[in-house]
Amino acid sequence: MESPTHPEPGIRLARLADAVGLPPVWPPAGEYLDALAERTGLRVHDLLLVADLPVPGAAWLFDESAGASSRMVARSLDLPASDRHLLRARARSMTAPPGTLAPRRSRPYEPYPPGFGPLLLRMLALRNLSWSGAAKVMCLMSGVCKAASTIGAVGRGAKPLDAEMLDGFAATLGTPVSVLAALTGVRASPENRAPAPGTVDTAALVWEVRHLTRHQVDRLTEYAGALGGPDRY
């Protein structure tokens, strides 16, 4: 069911397009989604969620014990740009062994109700981030430190989005706060600024490891340490 605070998919996509200077297009073709993803910093799969279009089944294949670890994220954030790029290149070169990924299991509290908070939680789920994993990564990447239960409350629609939470989601997704503000209608915080390069690179790393196994993420974390990323944990 649509509501004034969660309009129909075409309007949601048009809000994103307007935020980055693209004309609204409905239904969106692949090239249009590619252009919108490039300008917003979101992924095409995120945009499919925004538009209520089918996300490929392979996008939901994970090792659910994996996902971006706190140690890997912390080390990535502390690396210089050249080493962050090496780390991401290493992540892109890795493929999970056959048979190690499985379709994401539905939780008892899913599906989420319509709303922007639930939409953002589904974007995090595309990154193989649970409530707990999202809370840890968000704290490191944005300084917005909330309990896993608070993240979950946003997903269930029990806690409304506010400027602080918008900052946290934007950093974790690697998109400017202004983009999420335009999408959701939530007023951004006064100190709203573009994400730092280290945050953008680390958000990309979070995306790139989503289909890796826990062992592979551990190996990447060790590689980040060898590159010089200090161990905060």
Side-chain angles (χ1 to χ4, degrees), residues 154-220:
V154 173
R156 298 195 315 273
K159 176 179 172 55
L161 279 171
D162 57 21
E164 183 185 29
M165 291 300 300
L166 211 64
D167 287 342
F169 279 108
T172 308
L173 296 171
T175 187
V177 178
S178 58
V179 167
L180 292 191
L183 171 64
T184 64
V186 175
R187 186 184 298 275
S189 57
E191 59 273 15
N192 171 28
R193 61 179 69 89
T199 301
V200 173
D201 287 344
T202 301
L205 179 65
V206 170
W207 175 260
E208 286 152 2
V209 304
R210 69 198 187 283
H211 294 315
L212 299 184
T213 66
R214 183 171 181 174
H215 176 64
Q216 289 174 311
V217 173
D218 288 344
R219 284 167 49 199
L220 274 175

Side-chain angles (χ1 to χ4, degrees), residues 139-164:
C139 183
L140 286 166
M141 293 183 65
S142 68
V144 177
C145 300
K146 302 292 183 181
S149 58
T150 301
I151 301 292
V154 173
R156 298 195 315 273
K159 176 179 172 55
L161 279 171
D162 57 21
E164 183 185 29

Side-chain angles (χ1 to χ4, degrees), residues 20-21 42 45 56-57 69 80 98 114 136 152 160 166 178 197 203:
V20 294
L42 295 171
H45 288 168
S69 68
K136 294 172 183 176
L166 211 64
S178 58

